[in-house]
Amino acid sequence: EEEEEELFDIENKEKVENLVFNFLSEVCKRTAKMVAKWQSVGFTHGVLNTDNMSLLGLTIDFGPFGFMDKYDPYYTPNLSDNQRRYAFFRQPEICAWNLGMLARCLVPLINENLASDATSSFSDHFVNEYWRLFSNKLGFKEISLKENDEKILFDLFKIMSNDKLDFTNTFDSLQKFHDLNVFNNWKDFSIKEKQNLIKDILQINNTTEITSQYIEWTDKYLNKFNKGEKQKTSQEEKKILLEKSNPCFIPRQHLLYQAINSLEENNDKVPLQTLYKILTSPFKREISDIHKNLKESAPSWAFEPGVQQLTCSS
C-alpha cells in the first residue's frame, strides 16, 4: 500500500505519465503494424471488440475470422455482423477507435492531451506500414505519394472490386508481368495481344471483358518501372521482392471446411495434413504448382452459412 501511495504522489506524477505515454504509444504502434499486415493479406478478424485485442499487438480470439477470396472491401466472415461494422476495410478505423477506449481507461494516470497524442500516432504508423507492405506487393521498393503512385494501387483495387478478382491470386500473378518477354515488349503489343496477356496473367475467366481500364492500369504499372524503379530495382530483385511479399496460399474457408469434415466424418487426415504443409510454406512457388486447386477462389456452394461465414458460436 505504501508503494502504491508513493507511486501516485504528485512528485511521481510526471514519471507515471511518461511511463503510461510510452506504454500507450507502443501499443498503438504494434496495433497499427498488425492491422496493416492484415490488410496486406486480406485477413479479416470478424469480431474486433475491445476485449478481443491484445496489448502486445497480436492477433487473438480467433472466432469467425477469414481470409478474403474475391476482393470485396465490405467482406466479413461474421454471419451476425449485418451492419458490416467489422468489415475488411473498416478494420484500421475500428482498431483506432478501440485504442481510444484504452486511452480513456488510462486517463486517471495520464493527462488527456498526452493520451490523445499517443493514440494519434496510430495513423502515422499504420499509413507507413501499409504503404511499405503494398509497395512491396506491387514490386516497388517504395511508393511516392507526391507522384500519386498510390493511384496505381487504388485503380487495381477498383478493377478487382468491379470484376470480383481474387485478392491473393491477383497480387501473386503480378510477377508474370515482369517476364522479360512481356516487360520489354509491352509497348509494342497490339490491343488484342495485351488483352490476351492480361487475361492469362491475372487468371480472368472468359466471360469477363478486358476493358481499356485494364490496359490503362497495366501501362501505368509497367511504366513506373521504366522510370525511376528501373534504376532502383533490377529484374531479379523485383522478382524476389514480389515473391516474398505475395503468398501463393491462404487458409481459404471452404478448404478448412472440407478438411474438418473429412476428419470428423471419415477420419481422413490427408486434407488437413496437406493444408498444414502448404500453409506453413505459403510463399513456396514449387508447392504452388503441385497444389493449384488449393489456390482457387471459393466455389458457389461455399457461400452457404457455415462455410464462408460463421457466427461467434460456430
Side-chain angles (χ1 to χ4, degrees), residues 169 173-174 176-177 182 196-203:
N169 292 342
S173 298
L174 292 181
K176 295 177 187 174
F177 280 116
V182 175
N196 289 336
L197 279 167
I198 290 170
K199 181 165 284 194
D200 180 56
I201 288 173
L202 297 183
Q203 304 166 52

Side-chain angles (χ1 to χ4, degrees), residues 12-26 28 99-100 102-122:
N12 287 316
K13 187 177 179 183
E14 186 176 341
K15 181 180 178 181
V16 171
E17 282 196 329
N18 285 335
L19 286 170
V20 175
F21 175 82
N22 291 334
F23 162 73
L24 186 55
S25 298
E26 182 64 21
C28 290
L99 289 166
L102 173 63
R104 279 178 59 180
C105 296
L106 296 172
V107 165
L109 302 176
I110 187 173
N111 177 282
E112 200 167 332
N113 291 331
L114 272 178
S116 179
D117 288 343
T119 54
S120 65
S121 69
F122 170 87

